[in-house]
């Protein structure tokens, strides 16, 4: 359900295969495949642990380009998300 404050909806797709590149600061990187629903479930299962909340939220925010505040709300169970059964995309409304 979308409320007045929900101005964005992001489809967080699983990332299949790897990717190589160079970030904006010139650092080389390599990524592996990521199953979005599994990572979101892991984040919510472990985000309650206060010392780890910020780091876990960083994983969600950086992988899918979400605002950090939204990622914190997800891992602390203050913002729900949905999984589209058709393509296993995680849908976040914010």
């Amino acid at each position: 359900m979308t409320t007045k404050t929900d101005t964005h909806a992001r489809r967080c797709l699983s990332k299949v295969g790897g990717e190589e590149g160079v970030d904006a600061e010139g650092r080389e990187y390599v990524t592996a495949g990521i199953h979005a629903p599994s990572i979101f479930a892991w984040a919510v299962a472990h985000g309650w642990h206060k010392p780890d909340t910020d780091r876990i939220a960083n994983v969600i925010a950086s992988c899918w380009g979400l605002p950090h505040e939204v990622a914190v709300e997800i891992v602390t169970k203050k913002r729900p998300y949905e999984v589209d059964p058709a393509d296993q995309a995680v849908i976040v409304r914010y």
Side-chain angles (χ1 to χ4, degrees):
M1 176 169 65
T2 305
T3 64
K4 276 188 166 181
T5 58
D6 293 334
T7 57
H8 296 87
R10 171 134 349 207
R11 293 180 63 79
C12 303
L13 298 171
S14 296
K15 299 179 180 192
V16 179
E19 171 183 275
E20 295 181 30
V22 178
D23 68 12
E25 296 175 2
R27 297 176 295 208
E28 293 182 5
Y29 67 87
V30 177
T31 61
I34 301 171
H35 183 246
S38 297
I39 296 296
F40 274 74
W42 162 81
V44 170
H46 298 286
W48 62 269
H49 190 244
K50 201 72 164 158
D52 295 332
T53 301
D54 197 48
R55 285 180 282 214
I56 292 171
N58 281 339
V59 170
I60 297 298
S62 64
C63 283
W64 286 282
L66 291 168
H68 183 74
E69 298 79 24
V70 171
V72 169
E73 291 174 357
I74 291 168
V75 302
T76 57
K77 299 182 182 179
K78 293 178 181 168
R79 179 175 301 273
Y81 65 89
E82 307 164 40
V83 177
D84 184 339
D87 62 0
Q88 292 292 293
V90 173
I91 301 168
V92 179
R93 300 182 196 289
Y94 61 99

